[in-house]
Structure formats: structure tokens, C-alpha cells
Amino acid sequence: MNELLALIVAKYNFWLYIILMMIGLYAMIAKNNLMKKLVGMNIFQTAIILFYVSIGYKHGATLPIIQGGHGTHDAVIHAADYINPLPHVLMLTAIVVSVATFGVAMALCVKIYQRYQTLEEDELRIRLSEK
Amino acid sequence: MNNMPAIIVLAPLLGAFFSGLAAWIQKPLSYYIALAATAVSSVAAVGVFKQVLTAGTWQYRMAGWAPPMGIELRIDLLNAMVLVLVSGIAFVNLVASVKNVDQEIPDRAPSFYVMYQLFVVGLLGVTATGDLFNLYVLIEITSLTSYTMIALGDKDRSPLAALNYIFIGVIGASFYLLGVGYLYITTGSLNMADVAILLKDIQGSTAVLTAFILCILGVWIKMALFPLHVWLPNAYAYAPVGFARVVAPLMTKVMVYVMVRLMVTVFGLEYIFNTLNLADIVVWLGVIAILAGAFMALLQTDLKKMLTYIIVCEIGYMVGGAWLGNSLGMAGAILHILNDALMTFALFLAVGNIIYMRQQVAFSNLQGLFGAMPWTMAGFVLAGLSIIGVPPTCGFFSKWYLVLGAFEAGAYHFAAALIISSLVCAVLFFKVFEICFFEPMAESHGHHGTAAMAEAPVSMLAALGLVSAAIIGAGVYAGTIVNTVILPFLH
């Protein structure tokens, strides 16, 4: 039992992202309101961003700006002193993608609401079958 | 001339920008810019293909930065072929669909052309790139533009179909991104060739297995493999026809290409077939997809819906073939990317022509088409025969390779599924032919006996004729394609 606990604590960022992802997935599948589904979708994407950000982190490391790099070009650089900036940079792009998706989805929700005056899925299904 | 790989992707990107601007000056200008941009892209793709055939893989470094730091476009025989296919179909469809766009969404034509070009940029980028994270971003560009364009279609149903597509598409892309994250943890690189070298030493790792499963699952969702296909029929059937014609042949096929690329280049066939024991299960998934797609297609009463289920069935061919574990099956799957894109494109071109003249393609609305639109129907029959798999057309040859691969792997259930689905497709298409040829026109149409000819415009017929010729051509030269492009790529 203690080993399991140690395993969970040691890699808590992975557990956290999985839990968040499952919350998002649950909302996307189980919620009836389209807006709530969208929120679930956003949680789902944020979980992955959290995962990426956490893998760039190192214990005892600092910002990836070279200390004393100004003027002294021959300073020795230890990679272990700096957190890895690449996952963070990648996530800038991924955040843009998720914002864009969210925007398109919300615009579609507006269109659906204008047409059917509802965002509840079961009511939409009834209205569609009447067509 | 040395920047040709970049031009393939950049031409439609700049075209999209200038189309948007030009629409402020004069609306039709945006169409001509789109036409020019896709034409430039096709010419560059053909040039690159020729170069790759003679000189081998072309590693193009964006802005001169060397990998693994910089971004690389790595073009070998496989994606050179897919690039020609994608840019060619994008161009031909643009020629054919200007009249459809003017008929269906006249007020939004410029924005349609802008989104269309961005969609093509996404597909071409996915095909050309040699970087795993770029692949994700470009997949999302493709998906975002297709969400918006699907929503332009049928006023009642398309927004909801697009929204459902967004939900599932986001899950697929996120799984892929997560898989890339695990690959990055284990290898510290995002360049495909680099990752492939680094992965050779850590094949037993669970993180690599997780990465593989997540990536492949994400791509399967995007390509609509059977249990994950639910978004596809509605999304494609309710899209505006000018867009349905390009998304139906290309989107799923490019995703199959991504799967093949991940299998062959990144993870390596050795890892997939020797270290993991998943191949049998996936071939079964392919079998189920083929049968389910074929039988669901039987239930449809609308031509467009029927064709979308045939796409689901064809995805089963390609996934099953790629996972058979021998080079014949893989060659069949790759050849089927080419052939299925051509066949589906021809079918949807014909559907677009019919919609242009008759507004609807429900089965009850197709009477007398052979009399009214003989040229369109000739193209439709040819493409239908190709889907069924009649010899001179290209559909036969990819099925032939797939069946040979199935026998070599001992996967008789896969061969049986191929043959059964061919029979079902024969039933499907002859049902349509029968309605079009024999059933008399309904009274309400006011015509009796021979209907007057009411054929689609010349540009649409020319596009259909060109693609029909390509179907025959790809059939006649199937052996050459396999021997000069596909087999050298696999070895």
C-alpha cells in the first residue's frame, strides 16, 4: 500500500492530468447542454496542456535565461540548471489551437440557438426529427 | 527551384490571404486567386515528385535551420505521391465547384474560397512535414477549416453535425498530442527521423507503448475507423457539395497516410509487428469496419449518405491492409489511398453535378438520370464499377494486392470481408443504376418517356472526365506505380 502511495505521490502531475482529462471527457459524454459539453472539451484540452507544462519542469532549476550570458559568451552552460523551455513553447501553439476550436464551437452554438431556441440535446433531437 | 517543397504549402497559404483581400475589391477575384494558388501548388508538387523519383528523399530545411532544432519538410516517394494527389484534386475540384458554390452559398463565396485554401494548406502540410508537433498543428488547421465549411451547408442540420464533429475531432487530436508528449519524454526530439533512430534502443519501454497507442488511436478517430466513425456520415452529407467533394476523398485518406507514416517511419514495422502483438486485433477491427460500413450503406436512401458509409467501409480496407504485416498488404493499402481518393472524388463529382441540376440526391429523386445526364452518369458508372472492383479500373488492383496480402498473412477472414463488401457494393450501385435507368419519371415532373437532356455545365463534366481517365490510368499503370513508387518506399 505504501509503495502504491509513493508511486502516486512521486508522479502526481500525471495523476492530476488524467483526473482532469476524465472530468472533461465525462462532461462531453454525459452532459445534455451543448455549452456544458464545450466546457468539458476545454477542460480536456487544458489537461493536456498541464501535462506538457509539467514535463518541462526540473527540481532546483531556474528560468531558461542564461545567467551572466551578457558579454561573457564563453560561460559554461549546464542544461540541468534550466527548466526545459520547449514544451512550454509548444503549448503556446496548442493554446492558440484550443482557443480557436472553442471559438468556432461557440459560434456554432450561437447558430444552433438562433435556429432552434435551445441548446439542450434531447430537445434538439426532437426538433430535428420533426423536420 | 530549390524551394519547391515550401512553395507547395506556401502557395495556397498566401492565396488564402490575398483571396480575402481581393474580395473587398471584387468578389470573383477571390476565385481566380484560389485557382492560381492551387495550380501553382500542383505544378510544384509534380516537380517535387519528379525530383524525388530520380534523386531520392528530399530533406528541405525551413529557413536553413538544420534538424533537430529546425523544422524539416521530408519528402520521400510516399508523400511525394500523396502531395500530387492532394494538390491535383484540390485544383480540379475548384474548377468544377465554382457553379455549385454560386448556387448554394452565393453571398459567402469569398470566405468559402479562403477557407478552402487554408484546408488545402493543412492537408499539404500534414503530408509534407517531418516534424511530429507540426503534424498536430496542421491537422488542427485542416480540422478547423472543415468545421467551418461543414457548417456552411444544409441550414437545418449542418451546424449540429459540425459541432458533433468538433467534439470528436478534438478528442482525436488531443490523443495524438498526448502521444507526442510521451514520445518527447522518452526521446527528447520531435523530428520524425530523429525519433525513429532514438526509439530503436528503448523498444521495451511502457512510455513508448503508451505513445504508440495514443497516437494511433487519435489518428483512427480522425480517419473514422468503424466504432469511431459516428461523426463522419452527417458531417460529410450535410456539407456544401463544393466542400464535400474535396473533404470526402482527401481528409480520411491523408489520415491513413499519417497512420502509415507513423507505422513505417516513426515507430518502425519491426516494433509494431514483432514487439507488440496487436496486429491480429487490428485486422479484425478492419474486417468489422468493412462489413459494418457496407451494410450500413445498404440501409441508406440518400445517395450522399450512402457514399459516406462506403468511405467508412474503404477505411477498413486500408487499416486492415496496413496491419496485415507483409509488404503486399502494405502496398495494397498505400495503393488504395491513391485509388480510393480518385474513386470517391469521381463519385462525389457526379453527385455534385446531379445536385446542381436537381437539388437533391435522395433515391426517390434520381429517375431518368441516364437520359437527362448521360455524361455524368457515365462517369458515375465508371467510378461505381471501380469501387466494386471491376478489372480495368483502379479499384480492382488495390483489392488484388490486399487479397494477396491477406492470403500471405493467413488472414482469410480479411479476404472474405473484402469479397463480401465488393458484392454488397455491387448490390448498392446496381440499385442506384436501376433507379436511374429503368424507373419512369414521376408524374409530377411532367415528362414522359424520354426525358429532355439537362446536362451539367462543361467545366463540371470536364473535371469528371479527367478524373475518370485518371481512374482508368491508375488501373492500367497500377503495376508501374507499385514497382516504382510503393515497393522502393517500403524497402
Side-chain angles (χ1 to χ4, degrees):
Chain A
M1 196 61 206
N2 270 337
E3 281 169 28
L4 187 67
L5 202 68
L7 190 71
I8 290 174
V9 171
K11 296 187 173 155
Y12 66 93
N13 55 336
F14 289 85
W15 294 105
L16 212 65
Y17 103 76
I18 287 176
I19 292 168
L20 261 183
M21 228 173 105
M22 289 305 128
I23 292 173
L25 206 58
Y26 168 78
M28 284 169 85
I29 294 166
K31 293 292 174 192
N32 194 27
N33 187 298
L34 289 179
M35 227 35 224
K36 286 184 184 167
K37 283 192 169 200
L38 275 191
V39 173
M41 183 182 95
N42 226 16
I43 295 174
F44 187 85
Q45 288 177 313
T46 312
I48 291 163
I49 291 169
L50 208 64
F51 161 72
Y52 263 86
V53 170
S54 74
I55 63 178
Y57 181 75
K58 285 175 200 159
H59 280 293
T62 178
L63 299 174
I65 300 170
I66 297 173
Q67 288 158 339
H70 221 59
T72 54
H73 289 291
D74 49 352
V76 184
I77 299 165
H78 296 288
D81 290 347
Y82 304 98
I83 56 175
N84 185 356
L86 188 77
H88 300 199
V89 177
L90 295 183
M91 280 312 103
L92 280 182
T93 317
I95 289 169
V96 172
V97 168
S98 83
V99 168
T101 324
F102 197 56
V104 172
M106 286 215 284
L108 286 174
C109 279
V110 171
K111 279 205 86 166
I112 292 169
Y113 189 79
Q114 282 173 347
R115 188 125 196 116
Y116 296 105
Q117 273 75 47
T118 179
L119 284 178
E120 302 293 325
E121 261 213 320
D122 45 358
E123 288 178 34
L124 277 173
R125 215 168 283 139
I126 296 167
R127 303 257 165 105
L128 274 176
S129 58
E130 282 166 3
K131 292 264 165 209
Chain B
M1 286 310 273
N2 279 328
N3 290 327
M4 271 201 299
I7 289 173
I8 298 175
V9 185
L10 287 181
L13 188 64
L14 290 176
F17 178 69
F18 287 112
S19 288
L21 283 185
W24 290 46
I25 304 166
Q26 213 179 11
K27 272 193 172 182
L29 262 182
S30 59
Y31 168 68
Y32 293 109
I33 291 176
L35 204 59
T38 43
V40 168
S41 176
S42 321
V43 171
V46 173
V48 169
F49 185 53
K50 271 187 187 160
Q51 184 88 10
V52 170
L53 266 184
T54 50
T57 306
W58 189 339
Q59 289 162 281
Y60 178 81
R61 291 167 178 180
M62 276 288 181
W65 284 74
M69 292 298 154
I71 290 164
E72 181 189 41
L73 298 183
R74 178 182 278 263
I75 299 179
D76 55 22
L77 285 166
L78 174 61
N79 50 4
M81 183 182 86
V82 180
L83 281 174
V84 172
L85 184 74
V86 171
S87 54
I89 286 185
F91 175 70
V92 174
N93 178 50
L94 210 51
V95 172
S97 59
V98 58
K99 295 241 164 67
N100 285 106
V101 172
D102 284 345
Q103 189 190 42
E104 279 184 320
I105 36 174
D107 48 333
R108 301 208 187 115
S111 35
F112 177 86
Y113 294 124
V114 171
M115 292 320 259
Y116 183 91
Q117 287 177 83
L118 286 177
F119 176 76
V120 175
V121 169
L123 288 179
L124 291 170
V126 166
T127 317
T129 189
D131 185 282
L132 288 166
F133 187 75
N134 268 289
L135 188 65
Y136 163 74
V137 175
L138 288 158
I139 286 177
E140 280 303 75
I141 290 176
T142 319
S143 306
L144 274 170
T145 47
S146 55
Y147 305 146
T148 53
M149 283 204 284
I150 286 165
L152 282 177
D154 183 290
K155 286 222 163 40
D156 288 327
R157 288 160 198 272
S158 68
L160 204 59
L163 197 63
N164 283 329
Y165 182 16
I166 289 187
F167 288 139
I168 298 177
V170 162
I171 294 179
S174 298
F175 275 157
Y176 173 78
L177 181 60
L178 207 55
V180 173
Y182 277 96
L183 274 183
Y184 182 70
I185 293 177
T186 47
T187 62
S189 174
L190 290 169
N191 185 283
M192 285 182 192
D194 221 29
V195 168
I197 295 166
L198 293 165
L199 277 183
K200 285 215 166 69
D201 302 328
I202 41 171
Q203 291 205 335
S205 152
T206 359
V208 176
L209 179 66
T210 317
F212 178 71
I213 290 175
L214 285 171
C215 284
I216 290 288
L217 199 62
V219 175
W220 278 351
I221 294 175
K222 284 278 184 190
M223 76 165 86
L225 185 65
F226 164 63
L228 314 168
H229 75 284
V230 282
W231 55 270
L232 186 140
N234 279 344
Y236 289 4
Y238 299 135
V241 70
F243 179 61
R245 282 199 296 218
V246 72
V247 74
L250 291 184
M251 183 78 182
T252 50
K253 254 52 78 181
V254 168
M255 288 302 143
V256 173
Y257 157 77
V258 172
M259 183 188 75
V260 171
R261 170 68 60 196
L262 286 176
M263 286 170 75
V264 177
T265 309
V266 178
F267 289 93
L269 294 174
E270 172 120 355
Y271 173 69
I272 293 168
F273 293 111
N274 294 346
T275 315
L276 308 177
N277 281 318
L278 292 170
D280 284 341
I281 305 168
V282 181
V283 173
W284 271 110
L285 271 180
V287 169
I288 296 168
I290 292 171
L291 296 177
F295 285 110
M296 283 187 298
L298 269 180
L299 297 176
Q300 304 306 315
T301 54
D302 183 281
L303 190 55
K304 237 176 164 185
K305 269 270 174 76
M306 182 190 104
L307 295 181
T308 57
Y309 280 105
I310 288 179
I311 295 174
V312 174
C313 168
E314 305 278 332
I315 294 295
Y317 288 5
M318 286 177 267
V319 172
W323 284 77
L324 281 174
N326 52 42
S327 58
L328 276 173
M330 189 60 104
I334 294 172
L335 186 63
H336 206 66
I337 294 178
L338 172 73
N339 293 347
D340 191 43
L342 290 175
M343 300 183 302
T344 323
F345 185 43
L347 286 174
F348 271 83
L349 273 175
V351 167
N353 292 3
I354 299 169
I355 286 181
Y356 183 71
M357 302 310 294
R358 297 214 170 169
Q359 273 70 45
Q360 271 188 26
V361 283
F363 283 171
S364 53
N365 210 23
L366 299 177
Q367 292 96 345
L369 270 182
F370 273 99
M373 308 174 73
W375 295 104
T376 301
M377 287 316 287
F380 184 79
V381 168
L382 184 75
L385 291 180
S386 182
I387 291 256
I388 296 166
V390 179
T393 54
C394 62
F396 169 77
F397 293 95
S398 43
K399 274 187 191 172
W400 178 249
Y401 279 103
L402 288 172
V403 169
L404 284 183
F407 281 137
E408 195 182 303
Y412 297 106
H413 51 288
F414 186 65
L418 281 172
I419 291 161
I420 292 172
S421 76
S422 302
L423 292 177
V424 174
C425 283
V427 172
L428 279 171
F429 279 102
F430 280 99
K431 194 165 80 180
V432 177
F433 299 160
E434 190 207 349
I435 295 171
C436 300
F437 197 82
F438 290 113
E439 280 192 19
M441 299 282 270
E443 293 288 326
S444 57
H445 284 267
H447 299 287
H448 289 283
T450 51
M453 241 188 43
E455 188 53 281
V458 180
S459 62
M460 296 162 91
L461 289 179
L464 185 58
L466 192 68
V467 179
S468 306
I471 287 176
I472 300 278
V476 173
Y477 292 106
T480 324
I481 294 171
V482 169
N483 287 328
T484 56
V485 178
I486 296 171
L487 289 180
F489 165 74
L490 288 175
H491 294 302

